[in-house]
Amino acid sequence: PAPAPAPAAEPYANCAAARAAGAAPVHRGDPGYGAHLDRDGDGVGCE
């Protein structure tokens, strides 16, 4: 299996960056989560 992605110190700039890091979807409270990634406000960004 592939290694887990390294946690992001800052929120991902956009969903393309989160996907490239293998971290999408990003959940509220996870490293790399930012409200700008969660368009519908359900706590899951880049779904």
Side-chain angles (χ1 to χ4, degrees), residues 4-20:
E10 297 290 323
Y12 291 105
N14 53 45
C15 288
R19 287 185 190 98

Side-chain angles (χ1 to χ4, degrees), residues 15-38:
C15 288
R19 287 185 190 98
V26 184
H27 296 89
R28 184 180 292 131
D30 286 351
Y33 175 85
H36 65 286
L37 302 173
D38 186 4

